[in-house]
Amino acid sequence: MARFGLLIDARKCTGCHACSIACAEYNELEEEVNYNRLEFVEKGSYPHVKMDIIPLQCMHCDNAPCVAVCSTQATFKEENGIVSFIADKCTGCKACMAACPYDARALNEARLAEKCRWCPEKLTQGEQPVCSSTCMNEVRLFGDLDDPNSEINKKMAQHEVSQLLDSHGTKPRIYYIK
Amino acid sequence: MAKLKRRSFLKAGAISAAAAAIPFKLSMKDYQKAIADEPTKKIPTTCNGCASMCGIYAYIKNDRLVRVEGHPVHAKSRGRLCARGHGMAADIYGKGRVTSPMKKVAEGEFEPISWDQAFDEIGEKLNGVIDQHGGNSVMWLEHGVRGLRYAEQLLDRIGSSNYVTHYSTCFSAKTNAWQQMVGGMLNGDHENSKYMIFEGRNFAGGIIPHGMNQITKAKENGAKIVVIDPKYSEIAKIADDWIPIRPGTDLALRLAMAHVLINENLYDKSYVKKYVDGFEEYWHENKDKTPEWAEEITGIAASKIREISRELAANAPKAFIEPGWHGLHAHYINSTQTAQMGVILNALLGNFYREGGLMPSAGVDFGEVLLRDVVEVEKGPRADGAGIEGQRMTVETGRGIAQTVPDMIENDKVKALFVYHFNPLRTAPDPEYQKKMKNAELVVSIPVDWNETSVYAADYILPESYYLERTEVPTQVAGHTSHLYPQISIRQKVAEPMHDTLPLLDIMRGITHAMGHTGMYGLTVEDEIDQMLEPVGVSRSDLLEKGTVELRSNKIEPIFPTDMNGNPNIGTHSGKIQFSGEIYRIDGKKGIPTWVAPKVSPDPSKDDEFRLIHGKQPYHSHHVTSNNPKLVRITEKYNGTAMWMNKKRADRLGIKDGETVTITSDLASKSVPVKVTELVHPECVWISSAYGGFSDRLETAYNLGVNYNDFIKAEVEPFSGAVMSQEVVVKVRKGADV
Amino acid sequence: MLNRKMWLSISSVLVLIGAVGIVNIFIQGEHVMGTSNYVPWGSLIAAYVFFVAISTGLTFLSSLAHVFKWGKIEVMTKRLTLASIVTLMMGFVMIGVELGSPLSLFYILISPNLQAPIFWMGLLYGIYMALHIVEFFFQLKEDHGKIKIISPIVLVVAIAAQGTLGAVFGMSIARGYWNESYISIYFILLAFVSGLAFAILMTVILTKTKTISESDKQKILVLQPIFSKMLIGLLIVTVFFNIWKWFYSLYGNMPGKAEAALLMVGGPLTIPYWVLEVGLVFVLPIIVLFAFKQRKQLSLTIASISMLIGFLAMRIIMVFAGQIVPLTVVQGSESTNQLREFGILWSEWATMGFGVGGTILLYLIAERLFDLNVAPHKEERRKRVNTGEGSYSLAK
Ligand SMILES: Nc1nc2c(c(=O)[nH]1)N[C@H]1C(S)=C(S)[C@@H](COP(=O)(O)OP(=O)(O)OC[C@H]3O[C@@H](n4cnc5c(=O)[nH]c(N)nc54)[C@H](O)[C@@H]3O)O[C@H]1N2
Ligand SMILES: Nc1nc2c(c(=O)[nH]1)N[C@H]1C(S)=C(S)[C@@H](COP(=O)(O)OP(=O)(O)OC[C@H]3O[C@@H](n4cnc5c(=O)[nH]c(N)nc54)[C@H](O)[C@@H]3O)O[C@H]1N2
Ligand code: SF4
Ligand code: SF4
Ligand code: SF4
Ligand code: SF4
Ligand code: SF4
Ligand SMILES: [Mo]
């Protein structure tokens, strides 16, 4: 069983939002719903200034607060590490939204709290999800953390990585190159 | 049939749950299964989100377009599409489309008519105009080259020289200068470069996806990236160095960089000797353009100018100053000279036709299409004066001047106007002035949507089928990026037209036949494709199946073109790279670039004066995508309409981040939200060029943000005929316009 | 003022308007609510907490008779239980409207998540409701033997439910403002106070109606000073808790907590907090209760109404304060420059109005349906019923 993970090299992101639109089209999301987003951080003062852009989406936390609070197991952790969501079971209580420290979920028209799925149909076929495959800067790299030969593991070995809000104990599955 | 949205899956579930009182909803797994079970066709074609026309695959399910993905072969995208490419596709079902031919019945009011009626009436009126004023009074104004092959046939038949493109609003300073000096345009070989300067070129905002990919690859391989831009643009994000420059002074910077290269003997002497004509003349003219001199003008430290010039030289020939696109090439009175300096700096580095330097586009020769009913009619002079001595002598006739068409109408040079795939009322300066286009006797707009030009200027609107609904002749994949092997790609119909629309070929056939030229446009698009592909060695069915084909035959080599005797032979009059534009030697000028100050500049003593500058946003194309709800959602979420203002200047005016401010020029006064930031030069304010829609039939775009064209006059840059879109000083004040 | 018809019409109007709001929310969805992806929980969550807390408080009071053998309160027991059930039901209506697909709650039974506070809360409130109705049934039957057994269970379940409700907020590591270990106890405390405020209002109203006998009225009047003493005592404890919370918030180093606390000093919640929460829950009632000792009834009315309004405001403030400070996922991000937008739209106000109206209406109907007086008056009441004065009664 694969254990999926995602490595994001935010240094390369130029904020084009292709990932977001590609995801929305692929997953046929409603206009108001996005599974991923960008955070912009301005640092310094003119002319010695720079901008960080950090792509964000559901972290598929190993210790996911959203899974913990979901009373019906509509949101649950799969063996492969993906935090999945079953629409039938969702009561629309939004507890997961209140609980997610990453603001990673969005409510749809049917008032169900959707989120990034990590496109399992792509991952299991060894392909990259569309947010990754369309990115002109190749910012995202999905892969199997259990496979020592996977691209992601090779790349992780070359760089120092960090996780967002790891102090919360959520054990996110997304790693950022420092 | 309604697009089977996921929403409807969930909703259907919710309703059945309520009805049956047994919770039943489709789970994600069922959803995937449902998707998997349905037949999905995957058809290759090309994107029309912008001029790059990236190869795409369209996914069709139940005769509906579901989404698009990048075509892995196409050199502009190689499987990676930008946000616009993904978003634009959905506009096939968008609300803003013109659904059938329309005839103006009153100001801003139209009634649907049949194609036959449209053809008959337009044909008759056109004949009337031609009878009375001659064929030369008919003008075809278009985005550029897309409609050329069909426009040309009509213009040739009636004897009109008035084919005009959008280029003067885009980058004609570059197309003109490079044609003069290099005989054409070369592209940065980004992937193999070691040192790249992007000056007024934001590759990550004015996107070509695979081009940008090559740049990030090069960076990963150790290339250094320097961005010179008054605004911290998207590509500045990945730059090693962002050098903000006083807008409008790039010419001074470039002159000084050339000065460093020559003065410090860093330029490639043997290369220059062999391949350059006019070096001495240039140096003679510009010996005094030192970095210290430029520091004063540009605000960039002389030491910095020396540093980047030396680094360029150290990495040459795998180094270049990016030839650029729109950025500096339709902005200032000195744009042509700035573009000329782009040629000169690169030539000094000896990087033309060198790996990692500048490379030509790989090309193929298509077969000629044999037209029927070809009648030669003598043409009159161009209405825009391009190429005419005493008028706009230096302006390329192939592209012309787009922004002053109302003058040409006013002066009775143009009586009938076709506007194809172009929206000058929103993408050319001064919309109130552009609206006067309607004063021509006949104005026919051929758009896909209710753009401003159609609504405010057209007598007839003839909607073209959406790009996903039509098949076109194949095109070469070329321009602005580098790839070794030529590629051809084809656009083909992937969905039946949603509305009563036609492809351009059918529209032209209809109009000309109604005019009585019944032999014209006799070929079907399939005939044309076959004839074009004849010498290429790819069959129509093959190309339609593959979409984009790379031809391994004529690989381009990094070799300076020579004639049979081994002499340099690029398409210039000396065969070499010209340091002077031959044609610019007019009015006692030497044709050699030297310092020309911008026409207007903000007064530094006035706290509220700024130069208004603009730029692309990665998720919008010019103006057209601002009616796409998905892309505009990004605008809304990320404050995309905001005007950027430097923090220090804002503090002085008491302006706070997020507030509304009012921008005023001689022409207009408009309010926008402001983003107070450290990321922009203090002497200018920056706005995205995507907004300011005023066609109320484009609901999403309507009244969203402001447009730089609102603030500038329709002027003509003296050498290339470009718009000079940043020769404007605006006043900015706190608070909304009342 | 205490005209039954008038109360019926006011509450019916509230219920009708509320129904329109509720239908609107179900048809139009989340758009017509002041929530967003950033502020997912809105006013109806607050209203839910408000009603179920009152219910818990009332349960506590009614169980004083049976669990803590406090005879004096017996005169009100059934009415307190009824009010508790009614407010609980209104709480359920609030949460039901807030849920996107309430029917999916069915899955709580077949795939429960034992880790989730909401599961336990749902379970406990479900049990609480069921047992409460059973308890009420035995109360109506005056089956003291069974009441004695069931009443302590109801109390325990009610307190546990209220505690888990606290945990629903308290265990949220994402939201600094809510994330506290003592929040469950605080919730229980607040539940007692709000139940007490509600009960005090009931004593005022009941002593002015014709439905109960003069002797019972006297008994109820005896309760009033005791209730108000209890109230003042509990309020002081609550104030203490609040000061504690302020300290924690400002100096506790919990992400988002201090920022949220600052919303109440010079932020958008400042006026609501100091006027509606501090003013109406603490300051005004305490002043009124001490200052107008001679006009007991009036001061009790003012104090209790003030507190109930204040409690609703307090719940709303708490729900929003936990969410409108942007989560800092990335330090210094532009998206955290501004507070998250929030609001309460008309459909939500209407739904809350439904809760208030529904409480009154159901109570009035039940008052007619059931015999709520204590045993000695049973005969009298039955006579009334038999002579057609009452409509009909389940009581035998
Ligand atoms: N997303 C997107 N991509 C596109 C397009 C689009 O509309 N949207 N259009 C396509 C087309 S047709 C074109 S022409 C290209 C355009 O591509 P670019 O030419 O790269 O685009 P611009 O944003 O117009 O200009 C580039 C930069 O010039 C900077 N600039 C402005 N004034 C000055 C100045 O005085 N000095 C210097 N040094 N810099 C200055 C702006 O801040 C901007 O960042 O993009 C192509 N790709
Ligand atoms: N405000 C503003 N002005 C600009 C620019 C900008 O970014 N903003 N950029 C400048 C530059 S670099 C350029 S290249 C020009 C571009 O100038 P335009 O070509 O005018 O720009 P677009 O906004 O892309 O408008 C294209 C128009 O073509 C029509 N169209 C789209 N697809 C089709 C089709 O398939 N068939 C037909 N027949 N019509 C179609 C649409 O109706 C749309 O209104 O604008 C220049 N001026
Ligand atoms: S597609 Fe890539 S570069 Fe563009 S915003 Fe997303 S991560 Fe950044
Ligand atoms: S990021 Fe949020 S939604 Fe995703 S698994 Fe973690 S807690 Fe859940
Ligand atoms: S909104 Fe749905 S997924 Fe989220 S916690 Fe509630 S039931 Fe679970
Ligand atoms: S992994 Fe799939 S669902 Fe998640 S953001 Fe990427 S494309 Fe969207
Ligand atoms: S760059 Fe983007 S919009 Fe332009 S053709 Fe390519 S995918 Fe389409
Ligand atoms: Mo352009």
Side-chain angles (χ1 to χ4, degrees), chain A residues 13-19 38 55 135 137 139-140:
Chain A
C13 174
T14 51
C16 72
H17 297 280
C19 43
L38 302 174
C135 172
N137 296 323
V139 167
R140 285 176 176 80

Side-chain angles (χ1 to χ4, degrees), chain A residues 25-28 121, chain B residues 1-6 8-9 30-43 57-68 92-93 494-496 498:
Chain A
E25 293 300 298
Y26 180 73
N27 290 299
E28 298 183 37
E121 60 285 353
Chain B
M1 202 197 137
K3 189 174 179 187
L4 201 53
K5 275 276 184 189
R6 172 115 147 281
S8 46
F9 270 108
D30 296 327
Y31 162 67
Q32 275 152 24
K33 200 162 156 285
I35 281 190
D37 287 351
E38 278 178 80
T40 301
K41 275 189 289 178
K42 185 181 164 189
I43 309 171
Y57 278 113
Y59 285 78
I60 308 291
K61 196 195 302 170
N62 299 326
D63 294 328
R64 293 276 298 196
L65 174 86
V66 193
R67 66 171 198 280
V68 296
I92 188 175
Y93 307 118
V494 301
E496 285 306 316
M498 288 283 296

Side-chain angles (χ1 to χ4, degrees), chain B residues 626-646:
Chain B
S626 64
N627 196 47
N628 181 294
K630 282 235 162 95
L631 297 171
V632 166
R633 193 56 198 130
I634 296 188
T635 300
E636 284 165 355
K637 249 173 103 173
Y638 296 90
N639 205 9
T641 57
M643 180 189 83
W644 291 31
M645 180 187 271
N646 181 281

Side-chain angles (χ1 to χ4, degrees), chain C residues 203-229:
Chain C
T203 63
V204 176
I205 297 170
L206 284 172
T207 49
K208 303 243 164 84
T209 57
K210 296 188 207 98
T211 38
I212 46 176
S213 66
E214 272 312 311
S215 59
D216 278 1
K217 279 182 188 168
Q218 288 312 315
K219 286 183 191 165
I220 291 175
L221 283 174
V222 171
L223 289 172
Q224 282 184 343
I226 306 174
F227 278 2
S228 53
K229 276 198 196 97

Side-chain angles (χ1 to χ4, degrees), chain A residues 23 27 35-36 57 116-119 129-131 142:
Chain A
C23 167
N27 290 299
Y35 285 172
N36 48 25
Q57 66 208 66
C116 158
R117 316 178 294 119
W118 269 13
C119 298
V130 295
C131 60
F142 287 83

Side-chain angles (χ1 to χ4, degrees), chain C residues 14 46 59 69 117 151 185 235 240 248 263 288 298 308 320-321 370 382:
Chain C
L14 283 175
T59 297
K69 310 277 182 266
S151 187
I185 303 170
L235 272 181
F240 167 72
Y248 257 86
L263 297 171
V288 167
L298 181 64
L308 288 173
F320 285 127
F370 310 120
R382 187 166 297 155

